[in-house]
Amino acid sequence: MPELPEVETVRAGLAKHVIGRRILTAQSFHPRAIKHSSIAPISTVAGAKITAVKRRGKFLWFELDRDFTLVAHLGMSGQLLLQSSNYPAQAHLRAKICLSGKWSSGKRSEIRFIDQRTFGWLSVELAKEKIPTSVAHIALDPFEAEFDLKAVISKIRVKKSAIKPALLNQEIISGIGNIYADEALWRAKIHPEIICEELSDIEIKKLISCATKVMQSAIAAGGTSFDEQYKNVNGESGYFSRSLSVYGRAGEPCSRCRTGIRRIAFANRSSHFCPRCQR
DNA sequence: CACGGTGCCTGAGAGC
DNA sequence: TGCTCTCAGGCACCGT
């Protein structure tokens, strides 16, 4: 499930290969692959040169030598693979973008958007101050230079909701999904259902610091993958899942206190936590 | 306004 | 064996 570290791994992999290349053709194969709010069909990007690959939270976009950008969101199961144009089409191939230049094999390369559950999308968008329309309402992620820790703390501390939904709220801090939320809460020793208002500034600061660190480690490991649902641009899985402390470990002993990890369902999600460490 | 709940979607795996 | 059911969770949207 792509969260910030997985999207960053994909972004970095793409950047290495596609910057400076021109898009020859672009086409979609599924009605949901292109977002409804896209200002133009995907084929519009043909002819544009890719000048940068950017990311904020879980949103990724290609800056082009045009007045529009190409935005991508991987949703639950989206993948962006860099492949040779003669490689057979895989199941769930939703769109492809053929690039200029050739590989050493003499074949063209293309970016393939593959998405089993079709919650991901591509979109052609205008950008205001370099931020695409669909990303405008998304908060900065903790890896951005302008990330304002104090502002995030003051937003969270007045909320009347549980802390976990606040951590998942992409308009407060972006990039954190269910896996890294559970991991950050465990590291900070905070119960997922505690109300934001009841936390001190110090505790919230600690929590954000833990979230940042766990995502930093996951980026270094190439992301988390449990199954076929997350791959980097070369089709490889990350290996951070073995470093997870609570997510997917219900019943296993907490690595700090040996108490069994509990799994509860709330806010339409599963939460994993240590009932002893996280009061 | 803030928040909680629901819909979208597919395939793996469980249970019968 | 093969059917049906549940679960996974990204974001947008709706109702309270």
Side-chain angles (χ1 to χ4, degrees):
Chain A
M1 297 124 215
E3 302 181 30
L4 186 153
E6 292 71 39
V7 179
E8 173 56 23
T9 303
V10 169
R11 188 208 62 78
L14 285 170
K16 208 152 57 169
H17 291 90
V18 308
I19 291 172
R21 294 204 192 219
R22 213 165 269 285
I23 295 169
L24 299 179
T25 59
Q27 50 187 143
S28 71
F29 310 109
H30 190 280
R32 291 170 53 88
I34 309 303
K35 210 180 181 200
H36 275 309
S37 56
S38 179
I39 59 167
I42 185 84
S43 57
T44 308
V45 301
K49 186 199 269 184
I50 299 170
T51 55
V53 190
K54 302 281 188 169
R55 182 190 57 72
R56 168 169 289 176
K58 305 170 199 172
F59 289 73
L60 178 152
W61 66 96
F62 300 88
E63 283 186 358
L64 307 171
D65 63 346
R66 294 289 191 274
D67 58 5
F68 51 80
T69 60
L70 176 61
V71 188
H73 196 291
L74 301 179
M76 280 295 298
S77 57
Q79 300 174 18
L80 288 169
L81 303 182
L82 269 169
Q83 286 181 325
S84 174
S85 56
N86 65 329
Y87 194 83
Q90 38 280 88
H92 316 305
L93 177 64
R94 307 304 187 199
K96 70 175 178 182
I97 295 155
C98 303
L99 302 171
S100 67
K102 292 187 177 175
W103 284 4
S104 49
S105 62
K107 297 295 178 195
R108 295 269 183 218
S109 58
E110 53 192 37
I111 301 167
R112 293 189 181 181
F113 176 53
I114 294 149
D115 189 13
Q116 181 206 103
R117 295 179 204 171
T118 70
F119 285 4
W121 46 263
L122 303 178
S123 169
V124 179
E125 298 180 16
L126 298 175
K128 202 178 279 179
E129 285 155 24
K130 296 226 160 198
I131 301 298
T133 315
S134 65
V135 189
H137 68 290
I138 299 299
L140 302 192
D141 70 56
F143 298 100
E144 295 187 74
E146 311 78 30
F147 179 74
D148 188 344
L149 178 60
K150 284 207 170 74
V152 174
I153 293 170
S154 35
K155 266 190 192 170
I156 291 178
R157 75 160 170 235
V158 297
K159 289 187 77 71
K160 297 174 198 315
S161 73
I163 184 63
K164 185 170 170 184
L167 207 51
L168 293 169
N169 186 334
Q170 305 298 304
E171 296 183 33
I172 296 175
I173 177 173
S174 70
I176 303 170
N178 203 38
I179 297 172
Y180 297 108
D182 281 359
E183 294 299 312
L185 288 161
W186 179 81
R187 288 188 178 205
K189 300 186 181 177
I190 294 171
H191 192 288
E193 290 176 295
I194 198 163
I195 303 300
C196 294
E197 279 184 328
E198 294 169 11
L199 291 167
S200 68
D201 283 17
I202 303 288
E203 288 172 310
I204 299 169
K205 188 177 176 182
K206 166 85 174 159
L207 177 59
I208 294 167
S209 161
C210 287
T212 307
K213 283 183 191 154
V214 71
M215 290 195 290
Q216 180 70 68
S217 303
I219 292 169
T224 297
S225 34
F226 302 98
D227 48 27
E228 295 303 300
Q229 299 310 342
Y230 163 71
K231 297 286 177 81
N232 71 11
V233 292
N234 301 315
E236 297 151 348
S237 295
Y239 53 89
F240 193 70
S241 60
R242 68 189 65 168
S243 307
L244 298 176
S245 299
V246 283
Y247 187 87
R249 297 198 184 281
E252 294 180 34
C254 167
S255 61
R256 277 191 302 242
C257 74
R258 317 313 294 171
T259 303
I261 299 299
R262 272 192 62 196
R263 176 181 174 278
I264 56 168
F266 89 100
N268 263 339
R269 288 188 156 82
S270 60
S271 290
H272 310 73
F273 67 101
C274 170
R276 184 165 170 196
C277 293
Q278 297 167 260
R279 302 274 184 182

